[in-house]
PDB file of all heavy atoms in Angstrom:
ATOM      1  N   TYR A 136      -0.263  -7.606  11.230  1.00 97.00           N
ATOM      2  CA  TYR A 136      -0.364  -9.060  11.463  1.00 97.00           C
ATOM      3  C   TYR A 136      -1.512  -9.636  10.744  1.00 97.00           C
ATOM      4  O   TYR A 136      -2.364  -8.876  10.146  1.00 97.00           O
ATOM      5  CB  TYR A 136      -0.536  -9.256  13.050  1.00 97.00           C
ATOM      6  CG  TYR A 136       0.634  -8.762  13.813  1.00 97.00           C
ATOM      7  CD1 TYR A 136       0.686  -7.501  14.420  1.00 97.00           C
ATOM      8  CD2 TYR A 136       1.746  -9.619  13.946  1.00 97.00           C
ATOM      9  CE1 TYR A 136       1.757  -7.116  15.171  1.00 97.00           C
ATOM     10  CE2 TYR A 136       2.854  -9.205  14.669  1.00 97.00           C
ATOM     11  CZ  TYR A 136       2.868  -7.943  15.244  1.00 97.00           C
ATOM     12  OH  TYR A 136       3.984  -7.513  15.946  1.00 97.00           O
ATOM     13  N   HIS A 137      -1.636 -10.960  10.835  1.00 97.00           N
ATOM     14  CA  HIS A 137      -2.821 -11.627  10.264  1.00 97.00           C
ATOM     15  C   HIS A 137      -3.135 -12.808  11.204  1.00 97.00           C
ATOM     16  O   HIS A 137      -2.311 -13.547  11.708  1.00 97.00           O
ATOM     17  CB  HIS A 137      -2.464 -12.138   8.883  1.00 97.00           C
ATOM     18  CG  HIS A 137      -3.632 -12.645   8.153  1.00 97.00           C
ATOM     19  ND1 HIS A 137      -4.169 -13.889   8.342  1.00 97.00           N
ATOM     20  CD2 HIS A 137      -4.470 -12.032   7.225  1.00 97.00           C
ATOM     21  CE1 HIS A 137      -5.239 -14.076   7.585  1.00 97.00           C
ATOM     22  NE2 HIS A 137      -5.453 -12.931   6.884  1.00 97.00           N
ATOM     23  N   ASP A 138      -4.492 -13.069  11.344  1.00 97.00           N
ATOM     24  CA  ASP A 138      -4.988 -14.083  12.161  1.00 97.00           C
ATOM     25  C   ASP A 138      -4.439 -15.479  11.828  1.00 97.00           C
ATOM     26  O   ASP A 138      -4.204 -16.292  12.720  1.00 97.00           O
ATOM     27  CB  ASP A 138      -6.551 -14.180  12.080  1.00 97.00           C
ATOM     28  CG  ASP A 138      -7.217 -12.984  12.677  1.00 97.00           C
ATOM     29  OD1 ASP A 138      -6.633 -12.425  13.713  1.00 97.00           O
ATOM     30  OD2 ASP A 138      -8.222 -12.607  12.180  1.00 97.00           O
ATOM     31  N   ALA A 139      -4.299 -15.729  10.543  1.00 96.00           N
ATOM     32  CA  ALA A 139      -3.824 -17.086  10.112  1.00 96.00           C
ATOM     33  C   ALA A 139      -2.395 -17.041   9.603  1.00 96.00           C
ATOM     34  O   ALA A 139      -1.664 -18.017   9.879  1.00 96.00           O
ATOM     35  CB  ALA A 139      -4.710 -17.625   9.031  1.00 96.00           C
ATOM     36  N   PHE A 140      -1.937 -15.965   9.005  1.00 95.00           N
ATOM     37  CA  PHE A 140      -0.672 -16.010   8.244  1.00 95.00           C
ATOM     38  C   PHE A 140       0.506 -15.302   8.973  1.00 95.00           C
ATOM     39  O   PHE A 140       1.656 -15.550   8.665  1.00 95.00           O
ATOM     40  CB  PHE A 140      -0.781 -15.334   6.874  1.00 95.00           C
ATOM     41  CG  PHE A 140      -1.919 -15.919   6.096  1.00 95.00           C
ATOM     42  CD1 PHE A 140      -2.906 -15.118   5.540  1.00 95.00           C
ATOM     43  CD2 PHE A 140      -2.002 -17.299   5.933  1.00 95.00           C
ATOM     44  CE1 PHE A 140      -4.007 -15.592   4.780  1.00 95.00           C
ATOM     45  CE2 PHE A 140      -3.055 -17.804   5.154  1.00 95.00           C
ATOM     46  CZ  PHE A 140      -4.015 -17.022   4.600  1.00 95.00           C
ATOM     47  N   LYS A 141       0.156 -14.450   9.955  1.00 95.00           N
ATOM     48  CA  LYS A 141       1.313 -13.771  10.651  1.00 95.00           C
ATOM     49  C   LYS A 141       0.858 -13.380  12.052  1.00 95.00           C
ATOM     50  O   LYS A 141       0.524 -12.202  12.232  1.00 95.00           O
ATOM     51  CB  LYS A 141       1.755 -12.598   9.822  1.00 95.00           C
ATOM     52  CG  LYS A 141       3.064 -11.921  10.341  1.00 95.00           C
ATOM     53  CD  LYS A 141       3.417 -10.737   9.501  1.00 95.00           C
ATOM     54  CE  LYS A 141       4.754 -10.096   9.965  1.00 95.00           C
ATOM     55  NZ  LYS A 141       4.585  -9.206  11.080  1.00 95.00           N
ATOM     56  N   LEU A 142       0.840 -14.246  12.974  1.00 97.00           N
ATOM     57  CA  LEU A 142       0.554 -13.993  14.365  1.00 97.00           C
ATOM     58  C   LEU A 142       1.808 -13.444  15.084  1.00 97.00           C
ATOM     59  O   LEU A 142       2.924 -13.827  14.668  1.00 97.00           O
ATOM     60  CB  LEU A 142      -0.005 -15.185  15.047  1.00 97.00           C
ATOM     61  CG  LEU A 142      -1.471 -15.542  14.620  1.00 97.00           C
ATOM     62  CD1 LEU A 142      -1.831 -16.965  15.067  1.00 97.00           C
ATOM     63  CD2 LEU A 142      -2.438 -14.536  15.279  1.00 97.00           C
ATOM     64  N   PRO A 143       1.668 -12.613  16.080  1.00 98.00           N
ATOM     65  CA  PRO A 143       2.876 -12.264  16.868  1.00 98.00           C
ATOM     66  C   PRO A 143       3.510 -13.510  17.437  1.00 98.00           C
ATOM     67  O   PRO A 143       2.839 -14.504  17.708  1.00 98.00           O
ATOM     68  CB  PRO A 143       2.254 -11.400  17.957  1.00 98.00           C
ATOM     69  CG  PRO A 143       0.916 -10.962  17.602  1.00 98.00           C
ATOM     70  CD  PRO A 143       0.425 -12.016  16.632  1.00 98.00           C
ATOM     71  N   ALA A 144       4.855 -13.493  17.635  1.00 97.00           N
ATOM     72  CA  ALA A 144       5.603 -14.662  18.122  1.00 97.00           C
ATOM     73  C   ALA A 144       5.068 -15.045  19.486  1.00 97.00           C
ATOM     74  O   ALA A 144       4.938 -16.226  19.852  1.00 97.00           O
ATOM     75  CB  ALA A 144       7.062 -14.407  18.115  1.00 97.00           C
ATOM     76  N   VAL A 145       4.857 -14.068  20.358  1.00 98.00           N
ATOM     77  CA  VAL A 145       4.278 -14.247  21.666  1.00 98.00           C
ATOM     78  C   VAL A 145       2.813 -13.681  21.632  1.00 98.00           C
ATOM     79  O   VAL A 145       2.591 -12.577  21.284  1.00 98.00           O
ATOM     80  CB  VAL A 145       5.075 -13.499  22.803  1.00 98.00           C
ATOM     81  CG1 VAL A 145       4.467 -13.700  24.144  1.00 98.00           C
ATOM     82  CG2 VAL A 145       6.526 -13.943  22.790  1.00 98.00           C
ATOM     83  N   ALA A 146       1.891 -14.540  22.058  1.00 96.00           N
ATOM     84  CA  ALA A 146       0.467 -14.157  21.908  1.00 96.00           C
ATOM     85  C   ALA A 146       0.177 -12.846  22.577  1.00 96.00           C
ATOM     86  O   ALA A 146       0.718 -12.463  23.610  1.00 96.00           O
ATOM     87  CB  ALA A 146      -0.366 -15.223  22.627  1.00 96.00           C
ATOM     88  N   ASP A 147      -0.545 -12.024  21.842  1.00 96.00           N
ATOM     89  CA  ASP A 147      -1.028 -10.699  22.314  1.00 96.00           C
ATOM     90  C   ASP A 147       0.102  -9.720  22.657  1.00 96.00           C
ATOM     91  O   ASP A 147      -0.067  -8.765  23.399  1.00 96.00           O
ATOM     92  CB  ASP A 147      -1.941 -10.815  23.514  1.00 96.00           C
ATOM     93  CG  ASP A 147      -3.224 -11.648  23.199  1.00 96.00           C
ATOM     94  OD1 ASP A 147      -3.703 -11.494  22.055  1.00 96.00           O
ATOM     95  OD2 ASP A 147      -3.622 -12.419  24.087  1.00 96.00           O
ATOM     96  N   THR A 148       1.281  -9.926  22.023  1.00 98.00           N
ATOM     97  CA  THR A 148       2.430  -9.029  22.272  1.00 98.00           C
ATOM     98  C   THR A 148       3.054  -8.672  20.931  1.00 98.00           C
ATOM     99  O   THR A 148       3.439  -9.591  20.171  1.00 98.00           O
ATOM    100  CB  THR A 148       3.495  -9.740  23.163  1.00 98.00           C
ATOM    101  OG1 THR A 148       2.770 -10.205  24.313  1.00 98.00           O
ATOM    102  CG2 THR A 148       4.596  -8.819  23.599  1.00 98.00           C
ATOM    103  N   CYS A 149       3.167  -7.382  20.636  1.00 98.00           N
ATOM    104  CA  CYS A 149       3.697  -6.941  19.312  1.00 98.00           C
ATOM    105  C   CYS A 149       5.182  -7.341  19.263  1.00 98.00           C
ATOM    106  O   CYS A 149       5.992  -7.016  20.151  1.00 98.00           O
ATOM    107  CB  CYS A 149       3.484  -5.468  19.167  1.00 98.00           C
ATOM    108  SG  CYS A 149       4.305  -4.857  17.656  1.00 98.00           S
ATOM    109  N   ASP A 150       5.561  -7.955  18.116  1.00 97.00           N
ATOM    110  CA  ASP A 150       6.961  -8.366  17.895  1.00 97.00           C
ATOM    111  C   ASP A 150       7.867  -7.174  17.854  1.00 97.00           C
ATOM    112  O   ASP A 150       9.017  -7.210  18.273  1.00 97.00           O
ATOM    113  CB  ASP A 150       7.170  -9.081  16.521  1.00 97.00           C
ATOM    114  CG  ASP A 150       6.380 -10.338  16.437  1.00 97.00           C
ATOM    115  OD1 ASP A 150       5.913 -10.858  17.462  1.00 97.00           O
ATOM    116  OD2 ASP A 150       6.151 -10.797  15.306  1.00 97.00           O
ATOM    117  N   ALA A 151       7.298  -6.020  17.347  1.00 96.00           N
ATOM    118  CA  ALA A 151       8.180  -4.852  17.067  1.00 96.00           C
ATOM    119  C   ALA A 151       8.303  -4.022  18.297  1.00 96.00           C
ATOM    120  O   ALA A 151       9.457  -3.525  18.549  1.00 96.00           O
ATOM    121  CB  ALA A 151       7.595  -4.018  15.945  1.00 96.00           C
ATOM    122  N   CYS A 152       7.268  -3.836  19.116  1.00 97.00           N
ATOM    123  CA  CYS A 152       7.362  -2.801  20.159  1.00 97.00           C
ATOM    124  C   CYS A 152       6.908  -3.368  21.552  1.00 97.00           C
ATOM    125  O   CYS A 152       6.998  -2.634  22.538  1.00 97.00           O
ATOM    126  CB  CYS A 152       6.585  -1.553  19.849  1.00 97.00           C
ATOM    127  SG  CYS A 152       4.763  -1.682  20.045  1.00 97.00           S
ATOM    128  N   GLY A 153       6.428  -4.575  21.620  1.00 98.00           N
ATOM    129  CA  GLY A 153       6.006  -5.187  22.888  1.00 98.00           C
ATOM    130  C   GLY A 153       4.638  -4.739  23.344  1.00 98.00           C
ATOM    131  O   GLY A 153       4.170  -5.065  24.411  1.00 98.00           O
ATOM    132  N   GLY A 154       3.958  -3.898  22.484  1.00 98.00           N
ATOM    133  CA  GLY A 154       2.622  -3.483  22.872  1.00 98.00           C
ATOM    134  C   GLY A 154       1.628  -4.605  23.001  1.00 98.00           C
ATOM    135  O   GLY A 154       1.823  -5.646  22.390  1.00 98.00           O
ATOM    136  N   HIS A 155       0.510  -4.322  23.701  1.00 98.00           N
ATOM    137  CA  HIS A 155      -0.492  -5.348  23.901  1.00 98.00           C
ATOM    138  C   HIS A 155      -1.823  -5.079  23.270  1.00 98.00           C
ATOM    139  O   HIS A 155      -2.797  -5.821  23.413  1.00 98.00           O
ATOM    140  CB  HIS A 155      -0.647  -5.633  25.393  1.00 98.00           C
ATOM    141  CG  HIS A 155       0.601  -6.168  25.996  1.00 98.00           C
ATOM    142  ND1 HIS A 155       1.170  -7.445  25.760  1.00 98.00           N
ATOM    143  CD2 HIS A 155       1.411  -5.621  26.942  1.00 98.00           C
ATOM    144  CE1 HIS A 155       2.289  -7.592  26.406  1.00 98.00           C
ATOM    145  NE2 HIS A 155       2.436  -6.545  27.128  1.00 98.00           N
ATOM    146  N   GLU A 156      -1.964  -3.876  22.701  1.00 98.00           N
ATOM    147  CA  GLU A 156      -3.212  -3.470  22.054  1.00 98.00           C
ATOM    148  C   GLU A 156      -3.141  -3.568  20.570  1.00 98.00           C
ATOM    149  O   GLU A 156      -2.160  -3.111  19.991  1.00 98.00           O
ATOM    150  CB  GLU A 156      -3.534  -2.025  22.468  1.00 98.00           C
ATOM    151  CG  GLU A 156      -4.492  -2.000  23.604  1.00 98.00           C
ATOM    152  CD  GLU A 156      -4.957  -0.559  23.832  1.00 98.00           C
ATOM    153  OE1 GLU A 156      -5.565   0.014  22.925  1.00 98.00           O
ATOM    154  OE2 GLU A 156      -4.622  -0.056  24.949  1.00 98.00           O
ATOM    155  N   PHE A 157      -4.215  -4.111  19.977  1.00 98.00           N
ATOM    156  CA  PHE A 157      -4.211  -4.302  18.558  1.00 98.00           C
ATOM    157  C   PHE A 157      -5.489  -3.711  18.006  1.00 98.00           C
ATOM    158  O   PHE A 157      -6.463  -3.512  18.745  1.00 98.00           O
ATOM    159  CB  PHE A 157      -4.108  -5.774  18.148  1.00 98.00           C
ATOM    160  CG  PHE A 157      -2.805  -6.348  18.642  1.00 98.00           C
ATOM    161  CD1 PHE A 157      -2.645  -6.894  19.929  1.00 98.00           C
ATOM    162  CD2 PHE A 157      -1.640  -6.358  17.811  1.00 98.00           C
ATOM    163  CE1 PHE A 157      -1.455  -7.425  20.309  1.00 98.00           C
ATOM    164  CE2 PHE A 157      -0.518  -6.851  18.199  1.00 98.00           C
ATOM    165  CZ  PHE A 157      -0.376  -7.383  19.516  1.00 98.00           C
ATOM    166  N   LYS A 158      -5.491  -3.354  16.747  1.00 97.00           N
ATOM    167  CA  LYS A 158      -6.753  -2.758  16.146  1.00 97.00           C
ATOM    168  C   LYS A 158      -7.016  -3.314  14.756  1.00 97.00           C
ATOM    169  O   LYS A 158      -6.112  -3.810  14.113  1.00 97.00           O
ATOM    170  CB  LYS A 158      -6.723  -1.244  16.208  1.00 97.00           C
ATOM    171  CG  LYS A 158      -5.597  -0.659  15.369  1.00 97.00           C
ATOM    172  CD  LYS A 158      -5.610   0.877  15.464  1.00 97.00           C
ATOM    173  CE  LYS A 158      -4.497   1.436  14.571  1.00 97.00           C
ATOM    174  NZ  LYS A 158      -4.387   2.846  14.574  1.00 97.00           N
ATOM    175  N   ARG A 159      -8.277  -3.227  14.337  1.00 97.00           N
ATOM    176  CA  ARG A 159      -8.668  -3.559  13.009  1.00 97.00           C
ATOM    177  C   ARG A 159      -9.292  -2.401  12.342  1.00 97.00           C
ATOM    178  O   ARG A 159      -9.896  -1.583  12.947  1.00 97.00           O
ATOM    179  CB  ARG A 159      -9.681  -4.761  13.118  1.00 97.00           C
ATOM    180  CG  ARG A 159      -9.057  -6.085  13.493  1.00 97.00           C
ATOM    181  CD  ARG A 159     -10.027  -7.186  13.781  1.00 97.00           C
ATOM    182  NE  ARG A 159      -9.324  -8.263  14.456  1.00 97.00           N
ATOM    183  CZ  ARG A 159      -8.796  -9.292  13.984  1.00 97.00           C
ATOM    184  NH1 ARG A 159      -8.880  -9.509  12.643  1.00 97.00           N
ATOM    185  NH2 ARG A 159      -8.138 -10.213  14.701  1.00 97.00           N
ATOM    186  N   ARG A 160      -9.108  -2.405  10.988  1.00 96.00           N
ATOM    187  CA  ARG A 160      -9.644  -1.292  10.186  1.00 96.00           C
ATOM    188  C   ARG A 160     -11.181  -1.373  10.033  1.00 96.00           C
ATOM    189  O   ARG A 160     -11.625  -2.477   9.742  1.00 96.00           O
ATOM    190  CB  ARG A 160      -9.017  -1.171   8.851  1.00 96.00           C
ATOM    191  CG  ARG A 160      -7.646  -0.556   8.949  1.00 96.00           C
ATOM    192  CD  ARG A 160      -6.790  -0.794   7.660  1.00 96.00           C
ATOM    193  NE  ARG A 160      -7.566  -0.409   6.434  1.00 96.00           N
ATOM    194  CZ  ARG A 160      -6.984  -0.479   5.254  1.00 96.00           C
ATOM    195  NH1 ARG A 160      -5.677  -0.755   5.132  1.00 96.00           N
ATOM    196  NH2 ARG A 160      -7.721  -0.169   4.153  1.00 96.00           N
ATOM    197  N   PRO A 161     -11.927  -0.281  10.158  1.00 93.00           N
ATOM    198  CA  PRO A 161     -13.375  -0.381   9.953  1.00 93.00           C
ATOM    199  C   PRO A 161     -13.757  -0.795   8.544  1.00 93.00           C
ATOM    200  O   PRO A 161     -14.788  -1.365   8.395  1.00 93.00           O
ATOM    201  CB  PRO A 161     -13.854   1.037  10.285  1.00 93.00           C
ATOM    202  CG  PRO A 161     -12.693   1.935  10.297  1.00 93.00           C
ATOM    203  CD  PRO A 161     -11.434   1.071  10.507  1.00 93.00           C
ATOM    204  N   ASP A 162     -12.861  -0.513   7.520  1.00 96.00           N
ATOM    205  CA  ASP A 162     -13.204  -0.895   6.177  1.00 96.00           C
ATOM    206  C   ASP A 162     -12.718  -2.328   5.826  1.00 96.00           C
ATOM    207  O   ASP A 162     -12.934  -2.764   4.714  1.00 96.00           O
ATOM    208  CB  ASP A 162     -12.634   0.089   5.200  1.00 96.00           C
ATOM    209  CG  ASP A 162     -11.178   0.245   5.256  1.00 96.00           C
ATOM    210  OD1 ASP A 162     -10.542  -0.161   6.239  1.00 96.00           O
ATOM    211  OD2 ASP A 162     -10.512   0.713   4.245  1.00 96.00           O
ATOM    212  N   ASP A 163     -12.197  -3.086   6.812  1.00 96.00           N
ATOM    213  CA  ASP A 163     -11.729  -4.438   6.515  1.00 96.00           C
ATOM    214  C   ASP A 163     -12.831  -5.454   6.762  1.00 96.00           C
ATOM    215  O   ASP A 163     -12.711  -6.439   7.539  1.00 96.00           O
ATOM    216  CB  ASP A 163     -10.494  -4.787   7.331  1.00 96.00           C
ATOM    217  CG  ASP A 163      -9.224  -4.265   6.602  1.00 96.00           C
ATOM    218  OD1 ASP A 163      -9.323  -3.792   5.450  1.00 96.00           O
ATOM    219  OD2 ASP A 163      -8.140  -4.346   7.245  1.00 96.00           O
ATOM    220  N   ASN A 164     -14.008  -5.211   6.204  1.00 93.00           N
ATOM    221  CA  ASN A 164     -15.124  -6.124   6.301  1.00 93.00           C
ATOM    222  C   ASN A 164     -15.416  -6.661   4.841  1.00 93.00           C
ATOM    223  O   ASN A 164     -15.120  -5.973   3.859  1.00 93.00           O
ATOM    224  CB  ASN A 164     -16.313  -5.547   6.937  1.00 93.00           C
ATOM    225  CG  ASN A 164     -16.768  -4.366   6.180  1.00 93.00           C
ATOM    226  OD1 ASN A 164     -17.395  -4.458   5.159  1.00 93.00           O
ATOM    227  ND2 ASN A 164     -16.527  -3.169   6.751  1.00 93.00           N
ATOM    228  N   GLU A 165     -16.078  -7.877   4.793  1.00 91.00           N
ATOM    229  CA  GLU A 165     -16.230  -8.486   3.495  1.00 91.00           C
ATOM    230  C   GLU A 165     -16.954  -7.605   2.482  1.00 91.00           C
ATOM    231  O   GLU A 165     -16.553  -7.507   1.303  1.00 91.00           O
ATOM    232  CB  GLU A 165     -16.921  -9.816   3.655  1.00 91.00           C
ATOM    233  CG  GLU A 165     -17.008 -10.522   2.350  1.00 91.00           C
ATOM    234  CD  GLU A 165     -17.203 -12.022   2.402  1.00 91.00           C
ATOM    235  OE1 GLU A 165     -17.169 -12.604   3.536  1.00 91.00           O
ATOM    236  OE2 GLU A 165     -17.548 -12.644   1.354  1.00 91.00           O
ATOM    237  N   GLU A 166     -18.033  -6.915   2.906  1.00 92.00           N
ATOM    238  CA  GLU A 166     -18.782  -6.078   1.948  1.00 92.00           C
ATOM    239  C   GLU A 166     -17.949  -4.983   1.353  1.00 92.00           C
ATOM    240  O   GLU A 166     -17.939  -4.768   0.122  1.00 92.00           O
ATOM    241  CB  GLU A 166     -20.034  -5.504   2.689  1.00 92.00           C
ATOM    242  CG  GLU A 166     -21.050  -4.962   1.691  1.00 92.00           C
ATOM    243  CD  GLU A 166     -22.059  -4.064   2.490  1.00 92.00           C
ATOM    244  OE1 GLU A 166     -22.230  -4.216   3.690  1.00 92.00           O
ATOM    245  OE2 GLU A 166     -22.618  -3.155   1.819  1.00 92.00           O
ATOM    246  N   THR A 167     -17.217  -4.199   2.216  1.00 95.00           N
ATOM    247  CA  THR A 167     -16.394  -3.182   1.726  1.00 95.00           C
ATOM    248  C   THR A 167     -15.228  -3.620   0.885  1.00 95.00           C
ATOM    249  O   THR A 167     -14.903  -3.028  -0.126  1.00 95.00           O
ATOM    250  CB  THR A 167     -15.844  -2.309   2.896  1.00 95.00           C
ATOM    251  OG1 THR A 167     -17.018  -1.951   3.760  1.00 95.00           O
ATOM    252  CG2 THR A 167     -15.209  -1.051   2.502  1.00 95.00           C
ATOM    253  N   VAL A 168     -14.727  -4.762   1.254  1.00 94.00           N
ATOM    254  CA  VAL A 168     -13.619  -5.338   0.449  1.00 94.00           C
ATOM    255  C   VAL A 168     -14.002  -5.600  -0.992  1.00 94.00           C
ATOM    256  O   VAL A 168     -13.314  -5.301  -1.911  1.00 94.00           O
ATOM    257  CB  VAL A 168     -13.119  -6.686   1.118  1.00 94.00           C
ATOM    258  CG1 VAL A 168     -12.204  -7.421   0.142  1.00 94.00           C
ATOM    259  CG2 VAL A 168     -12.413  -6.444   2.433  1.00 94.00           C
ATOM    260  N   ARG A 169     -15.295  -6.044  -1.108  1.00 93.00           N
ATOM    261  CA  ARG A 169     -15.792  -6.264  -2.515  1.00 93.00           C
ATOM    262  C   ARG A 169     -15.812  -4.962  -3.313  1.00 93.00           C
ATOM    263  O   ARG A 169     -15.440  -4.855  -4.438  1.00 93.00           O
ATOM    264  CB  ARG A 169     -17.179  -6.838  -2.481  1.00 93.00           C
ATOM    265  CG  ARG A 169     -17.258  -8.207  -1.774  1.00 93.00           C
ATOM    266  CD  ARG A 169     -17.022  -9.386  -2.693  1.00 93.00           C
ATOM    267  NE  ARG A 169     -17.008 -10.622  -1.856  1.00 93.00           N
ATOM    268  CZ  ARG A 169     -16.241 -11.641  -2.116  1.00 93.00           C
ATOM    269  NH1 ARG A 169     -15.447 -11.658  -3.181  1.00 93.00           N
ATOM    270  NH2 ARG A 169     -16.329 -12.762  -1.337  1.00 93.00           N
ATOM    271  N   THR A 170     -16.311  -3.886  -2.653  1.00 96.00           N
ATOM    272  CA  THR A 170     -16.300  -2.543  -3.356  1.00 96.00           C
ATOM    273  C   THR A 170     -14.828  -2.140  -3.712  1.00 96.00           C
ATOM    274  O   THR A 170     -14.620  -1.673  -4.779  1.00 96.00           O
ATOM    275  CB  THR A 170     -16.948  -1.480  -2.460  1.00 96.00           C
ATOM    276  OG1 THR A 170     -18.210  -1.984  -2.108  1.00 96.00           O
ATOM    277  CG2 THR A 170     -17.111  -0.180  -3.128  1.00 96.00           C
ATOM    278  N   ARG A 171     -13.925  -2.355  -2.694  1.00 96.00           N
ATOM    279  CA  ARG A 171     -12.515  -1.939  -2.959  1.00 96.00           C
ATOM    280  C   ARG A 171     -11.987  -2.671  -4.071  1.00 96.00           C
ATOM    281  O   ARG A 171     -11.178  -2.090  -4.929  1.00 96.00           O
ATOM    282  CB  ARG A 171     -11.741  -2.075  -1.653  1.00 96.00           C
ATOM    283  CG  ARG A 171     -12.147  -0.959  -0.578  1.00 96.00           C
ATOM    284  CD  ARG A 171     -11.801  -1.376   0.807  1.00 96.00           C
ATOM    285  NE  ARG A 171     -10.439  -1.606   1.052  1.00 96.00           N
ATOM    286  CZ  ARG A 171     -10.012  -2.305   2.195  1.00 96.00           C
ATOM    287  NH1 ARG A 171     -10.870  -2.857   3.045  1.00 96.00           N
ATOM    288  NH2 ARG A 171      -8.747  -2.527   2.332  1.00 96.00           N
ATOM    289  N   MET A 172     -12.270  -3.964  -4.211  1.00 96.00           N
ATOM    290  CA  MET A 172     -11.722  -4.745  -5.321  1.00 96.00           C
ATOM    291  C   MET A 172     -12.318  -4.287  -6.640  1.00 96.00           C
ATOM    292  O   MET A 172     -11.553  -4.177  -7.642  1.00 96.00           O
ATOM    293  CB  MET A 172     -12.093  -6.212  -5.131  1.00 96.00           C
ATOM    294  CG  MET A 172     -11.172  -6.867  -4.142  1.00 96.00           C
ATOM    295  SD  MET A 172     -11.677  -8.593  -4.094  1.00 96.00           S
ATOM    296  CE  MET A 172     -10.853  -9.130  -2.657  1.00 96.00           C
ATOM    297  N   ALA A 173     -13.612  -3.913  -6.596  1.00 96.00           N
ATOM    298  CA  ALA A 173     -14.260  -3.460  -7.855  1.00 96.00           C
ATOM    299  C   ALA A 173     -13.575  -2.138  -8.235  1.00 96.00           C
ATOM    300  O   ALA A 173     -13.341  -1.883  -9.498  1.00 96.00           O
ATOM    301  CB  ALA A 173     -15.739  -3.254  -7.699  1.00 96.00           C
ATOM    302  N   GLU A 174     -13.278  -1.256  -7.326  1.00 97.00           N
ATOM    303  CA  GLU A 174     -12.593  -0.012  -7.576  1.00 97.00           C
ATOM    304  C   GLU A 174     -11.220  -0.295  -8.179  1.00 97.00           C
ATOM    305  O   GLU A 174     -10.799   0.400  -9.143  1.00 97.00           O
ATOM    306  CB  GLU A 174     -12.423   0.833  -6.309  1.00 97.00           C
ATOM    307  CG  GLU A 174     -13.793   1.431  -5.727  1.00 97.00           C
ATOM    308  CD  GLU A 174     -14.171   2.630  -6.543  1.00 97.00           C
ATOM    309  OE1 GLU A 174     -14.557   2.509  -7.701  1.00 97.00           O
ATOM    310  OE2 GLU A 174     -14.237   3.734  -5.947  1.00 97.00           O
TER     311      GLU A 174
END
Side-chain angles (χ1 to χ4, degrees):
Y136 295 98
H137 190 280
D138 291 327
F140 307 128
K141 189 179 182 280
L142 284 166
V145 177
D147 299 324
T148 307
C149 175
D150 297 344
C152 77
H155 297 294
E156 260 188 63
F157 297 90
K158 60 181 184 183
R159 288 175 195 264
R160 282 168 47 174
D162 58 341
D163 277 352
N164 58 74
E165 185 160 351
E166 193 195 335
T167 309
V168 169
R169 301 270 175 214
T170 308
R171 285 155 63 198
M172 282 182 194
E174 289 282 69

